[in-house]
Every structure is written in C-alpha cells, then in structure tokens.
Amino acid sequence: MFFKRFYDTDLAQASYMIGCQKTGECLIVDPVRDVQTYLTEAAAQKLRVTHVTETHIHADYLSGSRELAAATGATLLLSAEGGPDWQYTYDDGNRTPLHHNDTFMVGNVRVKALHTPGHTPEHLSFLITDTPRGDAPSMILTGDFVFVGDLGRPDLLDEAAGGEGTRFAGARQMFASLRDTFLTLPDYVQVWPGHGSGSACGKALGAVPTTTVGYERALSWWAPLVQSGDEAAFTAELLAGQPDAPLYYGRMKTQNRAGPALLGTPAPLPEVNAAAARVALDTGTTLLDTRPRADYQAAAPTGSVNIPDGNTLETWAGWLLRPERPYLLTARSAEHADTLRRRLWMVGLDTVTGFIRNVDGLPTTDARPFPASELDRHSGALILDVRGRTEHEAGAIPGSRQLHAGRLPWSLDSLPRDREIVVHCQGGARSAAAASFLRTQGLNVTELAGGYEGWQAARQAIQGSAPQGDAQPAEPQLA
C-alpha cells in the first residue's frame, strides 16, 4: 500500500493519497481545489487516480473532489448520510453514495466508510485495511471528527452557516460517534485527521500530524468523559472557548454542497501596466497587494487590500475578499502570479484578471501606523479589536470593541462613518490587512503600531517611570 499526506500550512488542512502499487490504482481523500499536486504525485508513483472522496461538506476551504474526478474520470464517492438537508446536490454522472459500513476496494486496499456525525451531520471517517497484510485495519482517516488532542467543533453551523442551536445536537452526535465507533477500534489503529494546529475547525489541535486510537483513549481530555457516560460535562467542555468562525465558511459550505465550479485549464494571467491598472481600479477592480506589510504601509495604493504573500494568504483572503469582485495581483513574475492565483482558488476566489509587478505609477498614500504612546490623542475614535473573541476576553484595551477580522465584510453597517476607527490586533499583522480592507470601503481608518502588545508595552513603560513612594499616579487611560 502506498500512503502520502499532503498538507497546506495556511489552512492547516490535510489530504491523503492511498494507492495499491500492484494494480496501479489510488484514492484521494479530501483534495484541495488545485488538483495538479495529486496528478503529479500519482504519475511519479505510477498510479492512476481511480477514486476520489471526502469526509464531509467542508466549510473552511473549497473542495477539489469534483475537479479531480472530472480531470481523471475517477469515481466520486460522497456521503449520503445526515438527512436531506445535508446531501450533496450535484451529480456529474460519476457519483456513488456512501452510507455507514459501506466498503469499496482500491486495488487490494479495503476502505470502509463509517458515519461519524458531530462536526457535521453527514460526516464520514474511512477505515483502511491493507488486505495483503491481513484483515486488521491499519489506519483511520478521521477528517474533522478526531484531531490530535482535540475534536472537531460542532458549532460551525451556528457560527457561520446560519444554523440555530445545532451545536447541542452536534455535541450529542459527537459523543455517540466517539463512544460507538471510535473507541471500539483497536488501540494500534493510526489516526490521520483532516487538520492540524492553526485550524479554526477546533480549539486546541496538536501540531503532530498523527496519533493512534490508544493514545487518544489514554490521554485525550474527552475520553474519560465518554467512557464514564458524562455527556453533559463533555458537551460543556467541547463547546467552551471555541474561536470565532470566519463568516466566509458559510459560503464555502454552500458552494461545496452544490459543487464548486470546474476550473479546467485556465489561461495564463496577463501582466498589465500601471495605466491599465489605474483604469481597472477606477472601474471596480480591487488590487490585492501581496507585498510585505512595511512596504505596503509606506506606499499603499488607493483601492488596495494588503495580504502579504506568506502563510496566511488563503485564510486572510477568505476573511476579507468577496468572490464576486474582480482582482488584480501584485506578483514578481508570471509564475509567481500563477502560484498566488492557485492559492486563492482554495477559498473560492476565481476572479483574478491579471497582475502587476510593482505599484510604480499608481496613486498611493502613507498608511503607516501610529505608536501606542499616542493613542490618547485619538480620544474620539472607535478602538476596533480585530482579534478573536477569546483573545479579547484574555486582555483588551479599555473601551475597545471586538470584531473578528473574518467578520468585517459582513459587519460594515455596524461601523461608524462619521468618526475615526483605530484598528488593532495582537501584534499588528492581522490589523494591517483589516485596516487596508476597511479603507477600500471608504472608512476613516488608522492603525495602532504593535497592536495590543504595543499598547501593553507603552502602558508598562509609563508605569515603570512613575515616581517612587506611596503616592502613585492613576493608570493612564489610553483608550
């Protein structure tokens, strides 16, 4: 049996290739939308992609299952569990429904579908057996069911997809799936989840890529509660402290259920000059400026959003960019532009029309943030904290309002247009992207250098310079 894990560090997302080297067949589980990586690896291993499946209708990225099946002629196997509201609604003539305990073969590799609801009602896990070695399963691909050290959150449907009260039903389903399915497996079975540390699909995911049933049984927070039958305590702990869910998750869920648009073989992105870029920006196109934050802030092009080319490009693009708008990219070369475009496909941004190599000749403004020591000069401003809810609860600038950056495009009507908005995050990276987006919406936005950490440092510096003795000055109110 051939086995390989593919991992996207931005979305902390894992997909898998399982192949039979004797027959030359392989299965791809939870593919991303840029399917070339799987085609390249299959060719290198002398395998054919004959089966494609996914654990559930994803919310955090756009699935590549439909794209890959169309490109290869593979059979597309999709969950038929969860009830009518949780069924896939597309069928290209290559779809096979999967139910609990259904089994299919990929060459000599047996794949058994197990219905494991909790994160979502239709969720499946896949138990893998390399039959030439025996009838005992060797691994289970758990998707967003069991992570290393954590579980898939059951509240995403409420948080981002318009559900009401589904978190409690999801928690009950998760409890039953663990008790009746996961904990019945042998301890030696390897667990390969769909996400790692950094994903918003759980609250405390481990950075180690794999675990075992036995390890989670022995050391997870949830196993003692499930084994003792304490569903109430399990539910309370599972739901407590979950991070904010970016609202683009609702769009991803809808698109994945209906079937993401097929990309085929797109034409290369054209390079445009400054004059053409100015015309595009004046007629509704947004510039996605991928330069480093400091370079952008020193000369921010009018009508641009700054999402630097790095480990957060896909995530922040999903947070801040809307798929119906056209975009230009800044890119070093045509090859760089193509790489960036493929990463944007992950979150359903398919409307990139071209790229420019630099911003010379475009109108720009100075968008550099001001130091935290000057915050008291902005006394009439709204202090907008774009960190997550749990970060804000752990410590915040007095009087600030928390609104996760991933919810800004859906919350513009709640922000004032008649006063300054000072944006901050923890250290300044997220707020730079958020502030650039808000400026494209015509808001009066400035930015706090160093974020909450910078504010804390400024406050400590003031306190450290206080005179010695019994009388101490009152703590400065910087907000």
Side-chain angles (χ1 to χ4, degrees), residues 336-379:
H336 185 215
D338 184 63
T339 298
L340 294 172
R341 174 172 65 168
R342 289 175 179 274
R343 294 182 65 189
L344 294 173
W345 288 346
M346 288 279 285
V347 289
L349 295 167
D350 302 344
T351 53
V352 176
T353 60
F355 76 96
I356 59 173
R357 293 179 187 260
N358 55 63
V359 300
D360 295 345
L362 299 183
T364 62
T365 58
D366 187 332
R368 283 174 286 197
F370 64 83
S373 59
E374 297 179 4
L375 185 55
D376 57 348
R377 303 179 189 175
H378 301 254
S379 58

Side-chain angles (χ1 to χ4, degrees), residues 292-324:
R293 183 191 354 157
D295 293 346
Y296 175 85
Q297 290 172 333
T302 303
S304 65
V305 178
N306 179 222
I307 304 180
D309 178 14
N311 285 337
T312 55
L313 177 76
E314 297 154 27
T315 298
W316 293 358
W319 286 359
L320 299 173
L321 305 184
R322 304 303 291 266
E324 64 272 12

Side-chain angles (χ1 to χ4, degrees), residues 6-8 11-16 28-38 52-54 58 61-68 194-195 256 260 263 314 342-343 345-347:
F6 303 83
Y7 196 69
D8 181 275
L11 296 172
Q13 186 272 341
S15 53
Y16 297 93
I28 309 297
V29 180
D30 287 336
V32 300
R33 201 155 172 237
D34 181 8
V35 301
Q36 187 57 50
T37 184
Y38 310 110
V52 179
T53 191
E54 57 191 42
H58 298 285
Y61 69 97
L62 211 55
S63 166
S65 295
R66 186 186 191 192
E67 188 80 29
L68 186 57
H195 292 288
N256 282 327
L263 295 166
E314 297 154 27
R342 289 175 179 274
R343 294 182 65 189
W345 288 346
M346 288 279 285
V347 289

Side-chain angles (χ1 to χ4, degrees), residues 242-419:
Q242 291 289 358
D244 296 277
L247 292 187
Y248 81 91
Y249 280 13
R251 171 171 63 84
M252 295 288 92
K253 195 83 173 174
T254 299
Q255 288 182 262
N256 282 327
R257 186 185 183 208
L262 294 174
L263 295 166
T265 306
L269 282 176
E271 181 177 357
V272 301
N273 59 28
R278 287 196 302 271
V279 171
L281 295 178
D282 287 341
T283 55
T285 294
T286 298
L287 176 63
L288 174 53
D289 193 329
T290 65
R291 293 178 296 155
R293 183 191 354 157
D295 293 346
Y296 175 85
Q297 290 172 333
T302 303
S304 65
V305 178
N306 179 222
I307 304 180
D309 178 14
N311 285 337
T312 55
L313 177 76
E314 297 154 27
T315 298
W316 293 358
W319 286 359
L320 299 173
L321 305 184
R322 304 303 291 266
E324 64 272 12
R325 293 187 63 87
Y327 294 95
L328 285 176
L329 299 171
T330 60
R332 297 185 298 272
S333 64
E335 293 76 17
H336 185 215
D338 184 63
T339 298
L340 294 172
R341 174 172 65 168
R342 289 175 179 274
R343 294 182 65 189
L344 294 173
W345 288 346
M346 288 279 285
V347 289
L349 295 167
D350 302 344
T351 53
V352 176
T353 60
F355 76 96
I356 59 173
R357 293 179 187 260
N358 55 63
V359 300
D360 295 345
L362 299 183
T364 62
T365 58
D366 187 332
R368 283 174 286 197
F370 64 83
S373 59
E374 297 179 4
L375 185 55
D376 57 348
R377 303 179 189 175
H378 301 254
S379 58
L382 167 66
I383 311 301
L384 186 64
D385 183 349
V386 297
R387 297 178 299 165
R389 180 175 57 247
T390 54
E391 292 176 286
H392 182 81
E393 291 171 352
I397 297 175
S400 60
R401 174 189 170 188
Q402 186 270 331
L403 179 58
H404 187 278
R407 297 178 172 227
L408 288 174
W410 293 265
S411 306
L412 294 173
D413 289 345
S414 72
L415 298 176
R417 292 187 173 272
D418 58 353
R419 59 193 284 217

